[in-house]
Amino acid sequence: MSSLLEGKKILVMGVANQRSIAWGCVQAMQSQGATVILTYQNDRIKRSLAKFVGDTPLVECDVSEDENIAKAFKVIKNAFGTLDGIVHAIAFADKETLEGGVINTKKEGFNLAQDVSAYSLISVARYGQKLLKNGGSIVTLTYFGSTRAIPNYNMMGVAKASLEAIMRYLASDLGEKSIRVNAISAGAIKTLAVTGIKEHGKLLKLSRDRTVDGLSVTTDEVGNAASFLMSDLSTGITGDILYVDKGVHLQ
Ligand SMILES: NC(=O)c1ccc[n+]([C@@H]2O[C@H](COP(=O)([O-])OP(=O)(O)OC[C@H]3O[C@@H](n4cnc5c(N)ncnc54)[C@H](O)[C@@H]3O)[C@@H](O)[C@H]2O)c1
């Protein structure tokens, strides 16, 4: 076993099942010696997690309300003290908003997508900074539909553009506390979130066809890059986007 993250305590938010990118992060970080704590959205997901997370601690946190985030970080502080890192791997838009095209987006759908997929990073960073040690690291997950009009990605692309801007401003705000904030722009991977996108099979194929080796990126590969960003090997990197998409964004 390697020990890149030996002695580090990392909070991972956004595991829904074993296909989740966040689960790839958990496995990579645990194999590098980290102690991992998970948050889950609701009881349904908690029941699913119970089948495969073993004794990894679980804390409830639906990020749609600030109070829930405040409460979760209070629970984490009381039970585990400080943290070295936080992975934010959370996004949501309702079906109508995702499928309707940006042109048809209603205010409620816009607000919900921005709220859960982008604003939540601000709230997580605000409450999380109190627990993060000097040298702490926050990583969020984005997609290059933030800068390109990817078919059917729609409002989620708008939310990701917002998330990326938030990431840069948070990196600036938290710099004086020596807390770094970065994003990983992952290639398309078949997860629960992706299956909410209309014609997601085409999106996955488009992405796979453009990787340099014709193979999709894996959650393990994203998890390994997230481990690097959590580690002391990346102390010079903040406010940046690391593409883990096997070159798709270049083509
Ligand atoms: N799968 C991809 O192709 C891909 C590519 C690039 C970026 N991403 C991003 O990676 C992140 C993780 O997504 P994933 O693909 O692993 O899918 P996933 O469905 O496994 O994970 C999404 C997570 O968001 C959580 N979530 C949604 N609403 C929430 C709320 N109100 N409170 C708390 N949690 C909530 C869900 O419970 C779930 O755990 C997302 O930000 C997604 O946009 C995914």
Side-chain angles (χ1 to χ4, degrees):
M1 185 194 281
S2 319
S3 54
L4 194 59
L5 300 174
E6 201 69 59
K8 291 202 188 284
K9 227 181 293 165
I10 297 169
L11 179 69
V12 178
M13 311 180 76
V15 180
N17 55 42
Q18 284 166 287
R19 285 174 173 252
S20 294
I21 290 177
W23 183 241
C25 294
V26 172
Q27 290 183 298
M29 289 171 191
Q30 286 179 335
S31 74
Q32 292 294 337
T35 300
V36 174
I37 302 152
L38 297 178
T39 64
Y40 62 90
Q41 183 184 355
N42 53 36
D43 282 347
R44 186 178 51 78
I45 289 179
K46 186 183 185 188
R47 283 194 293 278
S48 144
L49 298 186
K51 294 176 195 148
F52 64 90
V53 301
D55 56 6
T56 307
L58 299 174
V59 177
E60 183 169 7
C61 186
D62 180 333
V63 299
S64 57
E65 300 292 341
D66 272 1
E67 304 86 80
N68 299 344
I69 300 176
K71 189 174 159 204
F73 276 100
K74 203 167 167 191
V75 169
I76 292 162
K77 186 177 177 204
N78 291 339
F80 309 102
T82 55
L83 292 172
D84 298 278
I86 301 173
V87 177
H88 171 277
I90 290 174
F92 183 75
D94 64 80
K95 198 168 158 41
E96 185 190 341
T97 302
L98 266 180
E99 293 192 348
V102 171
I103 187 76
N104 293 314
T105 301
K106 298 200 180 105
K107 195 178 257 191
E108 304 77 56
F110 177 93
N111 287 344
L112 178 63
Q114 289 284 347
D115 201 8
V116 173
S117 316
Y119 171 77
S120 66
L121 180 65
I122 298 180
S123 191
V124 163
R126 188 166 63 246
Y127 292 105
Q129 64 171 330
K130 298 175 190 157
L131 276 68
L132 280 171
K133 292 188 201 156
N134 258 13
S137 172
I138 300 175
V139 170
T140 189
L141 267 301
T142 188
Y143 182 61
F144 91 136
S146 59
T147 51
R148 305 284 177 89
I150 305 285
N152 297 314
Y153 201 60
N154 299 338
M155 251 314 291
M156 197 45 77
V158 179
K160 290 302 189 195
S162 174
L163 179 76
E164 290 172 13
I166 288 168
M167 176 277 292
R168 284 187 285 274
Y169 280 99
L170 289 175
S172 172
D173 286 354
L174 296 177
E176 62 184 16
K177 292 189 159 187
S178 298
I179 295 171
R180 298 179 293 113
V181 190
N182 290 288
I184 289 177
S185 186
I189 301 173
K190 192 170 180 191
T191 61
L192 199 61
V194 161
T195 55
I197 294 165
K198 194 169 134 193
E199 299 187 334
H200 58 270
K202 279 191 192 163
L203 182 108
L204 290 163
K205 184 174 182 314
L206 192 81
S207 181
R208 189 174 55 243
D209 287 349
R210 291 179 187 205
T211 59
V212 289
D213 61 2
L215 298 171
S216 294
V217 77
T218 65
T219 56
D220 290 346
E221 288 168 325
V222 178
N224 287 337
S227 299
F228 163 69
L229 288 175
M230 285 290 142
S231 81
D232 296 340
L233 294 183
S234 60
T235 53
I237 305 174
T238 194
D240 218 339
I241 297 175
L242 179 59
Y243 284 86
V244 185
D245 67 354
K246 290 191 165 177
V248 172
H249 72 291
L250 304 173
Q251 306 205 33

